[in-house]
Amino acid sequence: MNKIGIDARLLAYRDGGISTYIRSLAQAFSDDEGPLNITLFAHRKAAERITPNLAEKKLITPPHNRFEQIALSIELLPHQLDVFHSPDFIPPLRGAKRHVITVHDLTFLHYPQYLTANARRYYNDKIDWACHHADHILAVSSSARDDLMTLLNIPESKITVQPHGVDPRFRPLSKEACHPVQEALHLPDDYILHVGTYEPRKNIIGLLTAYKALLAQMPDAPPVVLVGRPGWLFEETQTQIAALDIDEHILWRMNVTDEQLPAVYNLARVLAAPSFYEGFGLPLLEAMACGTVPIASDRSAFPEVMGDVGLRFDPEDSDAIAEALRIALTDDAWYQDMCQRAIQRASSYTWANSAEIARRVYTSLL
């Protein structure tokens, strides 16, 4: 039987983002592995198995290590893999007969100023090689595919679009079901929600600048809840936010667990996603699955994820962001219609479909 390996080492180091992609894809394969023999390659630091139904091997090489490509190749060699899938961009030099990578975004090429110097060096030095070394590339959106073609001259025939799915946990919940989470996190009855790493690319400053303008028109506007964790250049972001002098209207929540997140979405009036760039935008999809209306940037992958749901704006136009917030908070008829559209739109995105796309790519390389 053909041997397929998936790199799952990142799960031992972080949650969210690419880790969510890896875990969700693994679970979908666990539910329906099909004719392929799939093995997950986790890091030895991982405390728990990723999924009970797939074979799992432990590796020593940590992700994002300067010697990773060589060390990982050596570790994989005894497994004699036919295909090795690297969901975190960078494949090993060898390790399998064929290599698949997933490209989630090309932020480091679009906005290098939003990364630390070390991050810029790591990605810029490797991404061009990785894309040309890989036998096939999975791009999480049409926007990411177009970036690969435009910025790195990758032929379209080498790329397959593989949208994210949304976990069934993200669904409309009653106020009663959400109450324990609301109490635990000290959340108000109504709020504007932002979910994402605290870093410049997410344009939290743009959101809060617009929100400050909104407060001048609507002093009773609900507060902004920022759910996430510190990322690149966090101190700079904090300094800029403090200068806005609206601290009493901002609630930072850095301790939200994955289990609490569906309730956090459900309790929000609106999800605001003003990012300058995203390869996909999973919080948009999760919020819509919960019936929470998104307002988001009109850039990169957001329009294709949202479809006709919510409102879009220029992320560099604070007046446009403020107006989108005002509509979402005050137009109840529009809002109720959007809630239903959001749920319907999100239902078309499943991890089973995402896994099937990956499975077809693996099979095509055998």
Side-chain angles (χ1 to χ4, degrees):
M1 183 179 286
N2 296 304
K3 296 180 180 180
I4 312 296
I6 299 176
D7 188 349
R9 293 172 299 141
L10 193 66
L11 292 175
Y13 289 84
R14 66 181 67 165
D15 297 321
I18 297 174
S19 292
T20 296
Y21 169 86
I22 297 170
R23 189 181 302 279
S24 300
L25 203 60
Q27 184 58 57
F29 279 130
S30 178
D31 294 340
D32 182 14
E33 188 176 3
L36 300 177
N37 178 16
I38 296 176
T39 299
L40 303 177
F41 287 86
H43 193 266
R44 64 177 179 176
K45 288 184 178 180
E48 300 176 351
R49 285 183 60 83
I50 299 166
T51 180
N53 297 332
L54 293 182
E56 193 169 312
K57 302 292 184 181
K58 294 293 181 72
L59 300 175
I60 298 172
T61 306
H64 299 187
N65 178 279
R66 62 181 298 188
F67 302 111
E68 175 184 9
Q69 290 168 284
I70 296 174
L72 184 58
S73 298
I74 294 171
E75 282 201 89
L76 291 175
L77 191 60
H79 298 283
Q80 299 182 320
L81 297 171
D82 293 292
V83 177
F84 187 67
H85 179 186
S86 300
D88 190 15
F89 287 93
I90 311 301
L93 287 171
R94 293 290 183 269
K97 296 176 183 177
R98 311 297 290 273
H99 290 275
V100 174
I101 67 172
T102 301
V103 172
H104 300 269
D105 63 67
L106 295 177
T107 302
F108 37 88
L109 297 182
H110 278 287
Y111 295 99
Q113 70 271 28
Y114 293 152
L115 279 72
T116 62
N118 286 340
R120 280 198 301 271
R121 279 195 296 272
Y122 177 80
Y123 285 114
N124 290 348
D125 289 350
K126 297 180 183 296
I127 188 62
D128 186 71
W129 172 86
C131 288
H132 287 91
H133 174 72
D135 294 286
H136 203 81
I137 300 170
L138 292 168
V140 299
S141 64
S142 297
S143 172
R145 176 202 59 201
D146 295 346
D147 282 346
L148 285 165
M149 295 167 60
T150 302
L151 299 176
L152 294 175
N153 297 314
I154 305 299
E156 185 174 7
S157 60
K158 191 176 178 177
I159 309 167
T160 296
V161 175
Q162 181 205 26
H164 287 179
V166 62
D167 193 283
R169 296 181 301 108
F170 295 97
R171 65 188 190 280
L173 300 173
S174 67
K175 286 285 187 181
E176 292 74 21
C178 295
H179 185 70
V181 172
Q182 184 177 13
E183 288 288 302
L185 297 175
H186 305 290
L187 294 173
D189 290 333
D190 202 16
Y191 51 85
I192 298 161
L193 177 64
H194 178 274
V195 175
T197 308
Y198 308 141
E199 62 186 27
R201 173 173 63 94
K202 301 295 185 179
N203 194 26
I204 297 173
I205 300 301
L207 169 61
L208 295 178
T209 299
Y211 176 71
K212 182 175 182 179
L214 179 70
L215 284 174
Q217 306 173 43
M218 297 177 56
D220 60 345
V224 176
V225 174
L226 301 174
V227 170
R229 292 179 182 175
W232 291 317
L233 309 177
F234 176 56
E235 293 78 11
E236 178 183 317
T237 300
Q238 278 188 308
T239 300
Q240 292 175 314
I241 291 174
L244 292 173
D245 195 27
I246 54 171
D247 287 352
E248 68 272 21
H249 298 278
I250 303 171
L251 302 176
W252 299 82
R253 294 295 181 267
M254 301 184 192
N255 59 339
V256 176
T257 67
D258 197 47
E259 291 72 24
Q260 292 171 321
L261 200 50
V264 172
Y265 282 125
N266 270 271
L267 290 164
R269 168 75 180 194
V270 61
L271 177 83
S275 297
F276 292 118
Y277 176 83
E278 294 286 350
F280 186 81
L282 190 56
L284 277 184
L285 186 56
E286 292 172 342
M288 290 194 297
C290 294
T292 300
V293 177
I295 63 167
S297 302
D298 59 4
R299 296 185 180 178
S300 56
F302 281 167
E304 65 182 277
V305 174
M306 293 170 67
D308 63 353
V309 178
L311 292 170
R312 297 196 291 271
F313 50 75
D314 179 348
E316 299 185 59
D317 186 343
S318 60
D319 291 338
I321 301 174
E323 177 62 10
L325 286 170
R326 187 194 66 78
I327 293 171
L329 294 172
T330 62
D331 191 334
D332 289 333
W334 172 87
Y335 180 80
Q336 292 302 322
D337 178 48
M338 286 298 128
C339 287
Q340 295 306 310
R341 291 193 191 192
I343 296 168
Q344 183 176 8
R345 176 75 179 175
S347 67
S348 65
Y349 289 87
T350 69
W351 284 113
N353 179 61
S354 187
E356 178 56 31
I357 292 171
R359 185 185 288 111
R360 289 199 298 266
V361 168
Y362 301 159
T363 302
S364 73
L365 296 175
L366 296 174

